[in-house]
Amino acid sequence: MYKYILRRILMMIPVLLGVVFIVFFLMYITPGDPVSIMLGEAATPDAVKALREELGLNRGFFMRFFLYVKGVVLHGNLGISYVTKRPVMIEILERFPTTALLASLSAAVSLSIGITAGIVSATRQYTMLDTAFTAVALFGVSMPSFWQGLVYIMIFALWLGILPASGTYGWQYWIMPATTLGTMSAAIIMRMTRSSMLEVIRQDYIRTARAKGQSEWSVIMKHAFRNALIPVITVSGIQFGHLLGGSVLVESIFAIPGLGKYMVDAIRQRDAPVVQGSVLFMALVFSGIN
């Protein structure tokens, strides 16, 4: 067991290095100069040169990449934000609880909807209810989260006026973001629960439990569901990582001050240390959950 865990941890190292290299390369080839964004168009050539020297932007690509990885490995240093002049790690830790809360609420939504719909579909196979849940699940998987979020804002915030469109000032502010982010995962969990339940309820011990006179509720929930839950838990863990990644779009749509919106703003401002550090942090969390 310990060898397996150690092997899995060691496998994270090349994954994280690959993630850092890809993001570093993409930020390197992206058009635009962060120095020009920071100083403005009226900056003098001497000021531009001095700032490029200070930020290390005059070095080659591989040297900058090596120094960045060295700082992360030896000192846990994700760099300094070009815009705020603060350590990236501090800014990430300040915003990550908001993103984690959004992902947790979305996971609660996806699990409650997905598992319930999956059980009902499996126990009512080929009925109208099963067909309806399967169609809704297919629609949920196919629907982009950013489009769904905009539709929710238009309906519930603009037309009906019953939910706020942005912010995090109360529990009602989390309803639309959590539902938007959790719908896609709910559809995937529903399909996995349905297929797993269909496989389990055909087993001999389920027929034996029914033959002993146990109620259908007891047979489904105490015997079938417990064994069908094993692959569902695995998929749910992976989906939680996807929820963290999906928060990038959802936080931007609903103006939630989390890590996802922070990354989008940093991309617009060409704040490379923030983008690299945030992606590395999210990749580490995702790998740890897996």
Side-chain angles (χ1 to χ4, degrees):
M1 181 63 180
Y2 294 107
K3 291 182 179 179
Y4 173 77
I5 295 175
L6 179 61
R7 186 165 62 249
R8 295 285 293 182
I9 293 175
L10 292 177
M11 287 173 61
M12 289 171 56
I13 297 176
V15 172
L16 295 177
L17 282 175
V19 168
V20 174
F21 181 82
I22 292 173
V23 176
F24 205 95
F25 178 73
L26 290 176
M27 293 302 298
Y28 181 78
I29 64 175
T30 300
D33 187 6
V35 174
S36 301
I37 297 175
M38 295 168 64
L39 296 179
E41 297 180 357
T44 62
D46 291 338
V48 171
K49 182 179 179 181
L51 185 57
R52 291 187 65 86
E53 179 71 26
E54 178 185 348
L55 299 178
L57 298 178
N58 55 346
R59 297 188 178 98
F61 170 78
F62 290 103
M63 178 57 67
R64 289 167 56 187
F65 178 72
F66 172 77
L67 293 176
Y68 180 78
V69 173
K70 180 181 176 182
V72 172
V73 174
L74 297 183
H75 308 290
N77 180 20
L78 296 180
I80 304 296
S81 171
Y82 292 161
V83 178
T84 64
K85 305 298 183 182
R86 299 180 64 202
V88 173
M89 178 58 77
I90 294 178
E91 301 236 332
I92 289 175
L93 294 179
E94 288 177 353
R95 292 167 172 81
F96 182 70
T98 302
T99 299
L101 176 60
L102 175 60
S104 299
L105 294 175
S106 303
V109 170
S110 63
L111 287 172
S112 58
I113 296 175
I115 291 178
T116 303
I119 293 175
V120 173
S121 294
T123 54
R124 301 290 187 272
Q125 188 180 14
Y126 301 134
T127 63
M128 290 294 296
L129 199 58
D130 179 28
T131 303
F133 278 140
T134 303
V136 171
L138 180 61
F139 183 72
V141 171
S142 307
M143 184 166 45
S145 59
F146 66 87
W147 178 83
Q148 184 182 0
L150 295 175
V151 170
Y152 284 167
I153 291 175
M154 185 169 58
I155 295 175
F156 296 104
L158 298 180
W159 292 354
L160 301 179
I162 59 177
L163 290 175
S166 61
T168 56
Y169 306 106
W171 62 268
Q172 66 271 25
Y173 288 84
W174 295 96
I175 295 177
M176 288 197 294
T179 305
T180 300
L181 192 55
T183 301
M184 182 176 294
S185 294
I188 296 174
I189 291 174
M190 177 265 173
R191 296 169 68 180
M192 175 58 67
T193 303
R194 180 182 183 275
S195 62
S196 182
M197 283 290 294
L198 287 174
E199 183 178 352
V200 169
I201 60 179
R202 296 189 179 99
Q203 300 297 320
D204 292 338
Y205 68 88
I206 299 297
R207 286 193 290 269
T208 302
R210 288 195 176 105
K212 289 182 177 180
Q214 295 190 20
S215 64
E216 188 66 16
W217 172 265
S218 177
V219 170
I220 295 299
M221 300 307 298
K222 291 185 177 181
H223 297 280
F225 178 61
R226 288 183 179 181
N227 291 302
L229 196 59
I230 297 174
V232 176
I233 291 175
T234 303
V235 172
S236 300
I238 297 174
Q239 286 304 309
F240 188 79
H242 287 294
L243 292 176
L244 290 174
S247 65
V248 174
L249 287 175
V250 174
E251 288 179 3
S252 299
I253 293 171
F254 293 98
I256 296 176
L259 185 56
K261 186 176 184 300
Y262 182 52
M263 292 171 60
V264 173
D265 294 339
I267 293 173
R268 293 185 183 133
Q269 297 167 341
R270 291 280 285 128
D271 197 345
V274 171
V275 178
Q276 293 158 188
S278 300
V279 172
L280 177 59
F281 184 83
M282 297 284 273
L284 181 61
V285 174
F286 193 105
S287 300
I289 292 173
N290 283 341

